[in-house]
């Protein structure tokens, strides 16, 4: 897929949330890259950046052929702290640049009252500096909904390249997607499998069976056809490979629409009520 600054971003991305640091993570990243994933997504708070870096190095694929994303954790919001946090992330990854750096969660009014928007604006200024200095190629947001995005855009010199949000059938995120489309912000999906809870769904299994595919593959394909970039996590080689095999079939318009009618369901926190 293409970002608003001209860079390309490969889909699907390989997720590492909850992937334990150490051998499990190193092996998962190596396995993913051997499978063909070139986009790896991590975050400071996942605690596995060192292992992601090691997996990348052990893959034998040159760094510049890969697309690496990390995220600024909530305790580091603000201008100077953001600059320092990015430095630490690069150190832990053992890399000298990131392809994409995201603000992991917006400061919200529940925690920060009327200061919330100003904190996000300040943090965004630091992200812009990192992009200007080419420490990171692209900068973006995560878990920002329209009420968080709008104040950032008012004073932004760089429009965020990406907004990474929870997205899957049952959580269609129509308002956020509409705003992102209007502004040229690519939407990425975390938990595109509904953290596994959608995998037994009879409709998804039945549609998958028509193509000889699993419900997981149907969910990832559904994201791609909606032009949302899925980030999919697994620590199992077989599933890592299964989740990459999503380009040999196409869901019909009717199938796409029927999947969108699955009942409402949110797995993770809402950014307005998150207290972490
Ligand atoms: P595991 O890492 O043990 O394979 P989401 O991306 O929606 O958050 O879902 C991730 C969860 O789904 C993880 O618990 C992962 O477990 C599991 N998972 C990933 N891919 C598959 C798959 N193809 N089939 C079944 N479960 C999967």
């Amino acid at each position: 897929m293409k970002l608003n600054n001209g860079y390309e971003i490969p889909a699907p991305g390989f997720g590492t949330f909850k992937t334990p640091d150490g051998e499990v993570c190193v092996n998962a990243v190596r396995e993913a890259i051997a499978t063909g994933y070139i986009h790896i997504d991590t975050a400071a708070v996942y605690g596995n950046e060192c292992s992601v870096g090691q997996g990348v190095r052990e893959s034998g694929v040159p760094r510049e052929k890969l697309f690496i994303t990390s995220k600024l954790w909530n305790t580091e919001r603000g201008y100077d702290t953001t600059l320092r946090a990015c430095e630490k992330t690069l150190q832990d990854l053992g890399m000298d640049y990131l392809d994409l750096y995201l603000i992991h969660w917006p400061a919200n009014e529940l925690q920060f009252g009327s200061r919330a928007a100003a904190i996000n604006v300040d943090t965004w200024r630091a992200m812009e500096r990192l992009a200007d200095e080419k420490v990171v190629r692209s900068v973006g947001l995560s878990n920002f909904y329209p009420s968080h995005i709008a104040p950032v855009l008012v004073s932004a010199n760089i429009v965020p390249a990406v907004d990474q949000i929870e997205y899957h059938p049952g959580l269609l995120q129509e308002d956020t997607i509409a705003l992102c489309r209007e502004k040229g912000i690519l939407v990425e999906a975390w938990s595109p499998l509904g953290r596994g809870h959608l995998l037994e769904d009879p409709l998804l299994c039945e549609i998958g069976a028509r193509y000889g595919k699993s419900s997981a593959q149907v969910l990832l394909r559904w994201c791609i056809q909606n032009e949302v970039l899925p980030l999919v996590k697994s620590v199992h080689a077989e599933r890592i490979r299964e989740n990459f095999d999503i380009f040999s079939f196409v869901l019909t318009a009717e199938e796409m629409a029927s999947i969108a009618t699955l009942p409402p369901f949110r797995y993770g926190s809402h950014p307005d009520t998150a207290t972490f």
Side-chain angles (χ1 to χ4, degrees):
M1 295 181 175
K2 198 89 177 213
L3 299 176
N4 60 18
N5 54 14
Y7 282 111
E8 290 190 336
I9 180 167
F14 184 68
T16 59
F17 178 47
K18 299 226 187 233
T19 301
D21 194 31
E23 207 181 328
V24 174
C25 182
V26 174
N27 288 341
V29 169
R30 256 199 350 236
E31 185 65 42
I33 295 172
T35 298
Y37 293 81
I38 38 186
H39 171 178
I40 314 287
D41 180 280
T42 183
V45 76
Y46 300 172
N48 58 17
E49 287 173 313
C50 293
S51 299
V52 168
Q54 193 182 330
V56 164
R57 284 186 296 280
E58 289 184 11
S59 76
V61 175
R63 160 70 184 95
E64 63 276 11
K65 300 261 188 247
L66 299 169
F67 188 104
I68 310 292
T69 301
S70 193
K71 312 185 194 83
L72 172 86
W73 186 236
N74 301 350
T75 46
E76 313 305 318
R77 294 180 185 119
Y79 191 81
D80 293 328
T81 36
T82 294
L83 300 179
R84 281 199 296 272
C86 184
E87 214 175 289
K88 169 84 164 69
T89 273
L90 286 169
Q91 222 171 59
D92 287 350
L93 284 164
M95 295 178 186
D96 53 12
Y97 74 95
L98 285 173
D99 292 279
L100 179 62
Y101 196 41
L102 307 179
I103 303 179
H104 207 145
W105 290 84
N108 63 23
E109 289 183 14
L110 181 69
Q111 282 186 287
F112 297 96
S114 57
R115 291 187 300 124
I119 294 171
N120 293 329
V121 166
D122 230 30
T123 309
W124 186 250
R125 276 199 310 120
M127 301 293 277
E128 291 180 327
R129 176 163 162 189
L130 292 167
D132 287 342
E133 291 179 348
K134 311 225 178 329
V135 177
V136 306
R137 291 190 167 169
S138 304
V139 283
L141 309 170
S142 181
N143 300 300
F144 276 59
Y145 290 179
S147 63
H148 318 113
I149 298 172
V152 169
L153 289 182
V154 171
S155 59
N157 294 316
I158 299 177
V159 175
V162 156
D163 189 15
Q164 182 181 127
I165 54 177
E166 180 178 353
Y167 175 81
H168 45 68
L171 189 58
L172 303 182
Q173 302 274 22
E174 283 153 331
D175 294 353
T176 302
I177 288 184
L179 178 65
C180 286
R181 294 261 146 91
E182 186 194 320
K183 303 293 179 189
I185 302 169
L186 177 78
V187 177
E188 293 184 335
W190 60 260
S191 282
L193 311 181
R195 195 55 45 79
H197 292 291
L198 288 165
L199 295 171
E200 307 294 316
D201 182 87
L203 174 70
L204 297 171
C205 294
E206 193 246 300
I207 292 175
R210 289 177 204 164
Y211 300 98
K213 298 289 173 192
S214 67
S215 52
Q217 289 168 316
V218 169
L219 284 161
L220 297 169
R221 186 70 214 168
W222 181 81
C223 270
I224 300 264
Q225 287 185 221
N226 281 326
E227 290 169 37
V228 172
L229 191 157
L231 300 164
V232 64
K233 174 261 177 192
S234 178
V235 295
H236 296 102
E238 215 170 278
R239 291 174 176 176
I240 289 172
R241 290 196 281 269
E242 175 185 328
N243 296 342
F244 196 71
D245 176 20
I246 53 173
F247 295 100
S248 56
F249 70 113
V250 178
L251 298 169
T252 65
E254 293 72 32
E255 288 164 345
M256 290 294 292
S258 67
I259 293 169
T261 64
L262 289 180
F265 136 74
R266 175 189 293 272
Y267 171 81
S269 299
H270 189 293
D272 282 332
T273 50
T275 52
F276 45 82

